[in-house]
Amino acid sequence: MHKRIEFYTKDVIEKHIVLEDIDPVTFYGVNNSHLQMLRSLYPKLRIMARDNIIRVLGDEEEMCVFEASIERMRRHVLKFNVISDEDIHDIANGQQANAEASKDVVTYSISGKPIKSRSANQQCLIDAYNDNDMVFAVGPAGTGKTYLSIALAVKALKEKAVKKIILSRPAVEAGEKLGFLPGDMKDKIDPYLQPLYDALEDMIPQARLQDMMEKRIIQIAPLAFMRGRTLSDAVVILDEAQNTSTAQIRMFLTRMGWNTKMIITGDLTQVDLPKGQKSGLREALEVLRGIDGIGIVNLTGKDIVRHKLVTSIVKAYERMEKREINEQVG
């Protein structure tokens, strides 16, 4: 919600409207173009803005209409991440904004593009998330399991269903190779977490994302940093879980607190653990299958949403693996 502060004088009323949960730069538009449009739509009011505070002076009745419009515009930006001149015009005139809306949309990118399932199994992931507190999403690279999981987390945060998002990955090379990289631990670990940053940056405006990370509303950390924590009021995502040991994934799964959803993603064809060490993800799928409240979704090459060549590459490697298995059996 936005907050307001009122000041009264003999002839006019003054209000300070505080925009919350959105990037004011997006709201005001490039070179304050949206702000200029608001001034033209409400000529009886004097409208000024600084940071996330809109200061308005004028007639009380006109002020009430303006305040209601600002709240609708704020909600529009919160949902779609963008607002156009046409949207502002429609909202100010009491009409429905023309932005694309659909019950199937999970959330919207920073450009306003709808993010939703693009295959039957991706929809199964969304349904499993809605029906369970813990979901395993397993499939090859490019099936959208990480991106869609983060979109579900962003939606929950925007709707205030949770208070924070926690994203984690195992750093399987956190020993010798990382030791040779320059910088402190954050500099060494960040390359492993970059895919998570990339997805978030596609869904949350940069300034807003930075603010949420500084306030720890969104947290990104290596799996080792989860030890000893109880994770409540959050959507918690463990990415690349095929690279966890049995002890690591067990530690992670038992961090679950009240009002928490967990999504565990992984690709069992890309295990980077030392030879002979069993993937914690593979074992968890065997141990936890059939437990109420835990959903398991298997994505396949048919769900790949990257460049069409990715599908061909995945299929080529699958054929090679089948040949090798047949040769071993023969």
Side-chain angles (χ1 to χ4, degrees), residues 113-310:
K113 181 181 178 182
I115 298 171
K116 54 186 177 181
S117 64
R118 296 174 62 183
S119 71
N121 284 330
Q122 284 193 358
Q123 186 59 48
C124 286
L125 172 53
I126 295 172
D127 295 339
Y129 171 86
N130 291 331
D131 296 338
N132 299 276
D133 288 335
M134 183 179 291
V135 178
F136 288 83
V138 184
T143 51
K145 54 189 183 295
T146 300
Y147 189 82
L148 192 57
S149 296
I150 291 177
L152 288 165
V154 169
K155 178 186 180 190
L157 189 63
K158 284 188 173 185
E159 294 178 350
K160 300 189 183 300
V162 297
K163 294 180 180 178
K164 55 184 176 285
I165 296 173
I166 300 172
L167 309 176
S168 186
R169 270 186 159 199
V172 294
E173 293 178 271
E176 181 181 4
K177 289 190 179 181
L178 280 179
F180 287 102
L181 292 175
D184 58 17
M185 181 56 72
K186 183 179 185 301
D187 295 327
K188 296 170 188 280
I189 291 295
D190 271 357
Y192 289 91
L193 307 176
Q194 192 58 49
L196 305 179
Y197 289 112
D198 291 343
L200 285 169
E201 288 171 353
D202 196 35
M203 301 176 201
I204 302 175
Q206 182 62 45
R208 178 67 181 148
L209 176 59
Q210 186 66 35
D211 180 63
M212 295 171 90
M213 293 184 71
E214 288 175 357
K215 293 177 179 176
R216 297 187 61 76
I217 296 170
I218 295 178
Q219 303 173 28
I220 305 178
L223 179 58
F225 285 52
M226 297 296 107
R227 189 174 298 280
R229 301 183 64 184
T230 299
L231 309 174
S232 300
D233 288 313
V235 177
V236 187
I237 298 173
L238 174 59
D239 193 35
E240 300 286 354
Q242 76 275 5
N243 289 327
T244 59
S245 65
T246 297
Q248 284 176 322
I249 199 164
R250 184 175 179 179
M251 176 274 292
F252 175 82
L253 297 178
T254 55
R255 300 306 93 201
M256 192 173 194
W258 295 107
N259 189 37
T260 291
K261 293 255 191 181
M262 279 189 167
I263 308 176
I264 300 92
T265 72
D267 177 3
L268 289 172
T269 68
Q270 293 187 353
V271 178
D272 298 319
L273 294 169
K275 192 172 183 179
Q277 183 175 340
K278 187 173 183 179
S279 167
L281 175 60
R282 189 183 299 278
E283 190 166 76
L285 292 171
E286 296 169 1
V287 172
L288 303 178
R289 192 176 297 275
I291 295 179
D292 278 349
I294 297 179
I296 298 175
V297 179
N298 292 293
L299 297 104
T300 69
K302 294 180 180 178
D303 302 299
I304 291 175
V305 292
R306 291 181 185 169
H307 193 286
K308 62 182 180 180
L309 278 177
V310 176

Side-chain angles (χ1 to χ4, degrees), residues 6-15 44-46 56-60 63:
E6 299 184 8
F7 302 90
Y8 293 90
T9 67
K10 183 178 180 181
D11 300 313
V12 299
I13 183 174
E14 176 179 341
K15 289 185 180 179
K44 295 180 181 179
L45 300 176
R46 185 181 178 192
V56 194
L57 294 90
D59 175 73
E60 184 174 5
M63 188 86 68

Side-chain angles (χ1 to χ4, degrees), residues 24-36 83 85:
V25 175
T26 302
F27 190 90
Y28 299 146
V30 178
N31 296 323
N32 289 331
S33 60
H34 296 164
L35 200 59
Q36 296 294 344
I83 190 165
D85 290 347

Side-chain angles (χ1 to χ4, degrees), residues 97-111:
N98 290 324
E100 181 180 358
S102 168
K103 62 182 179 64
D104 298 325
V105 173
V106 176
T107 189
Y108 292 80
S109 72
I110 57 173
S111 63

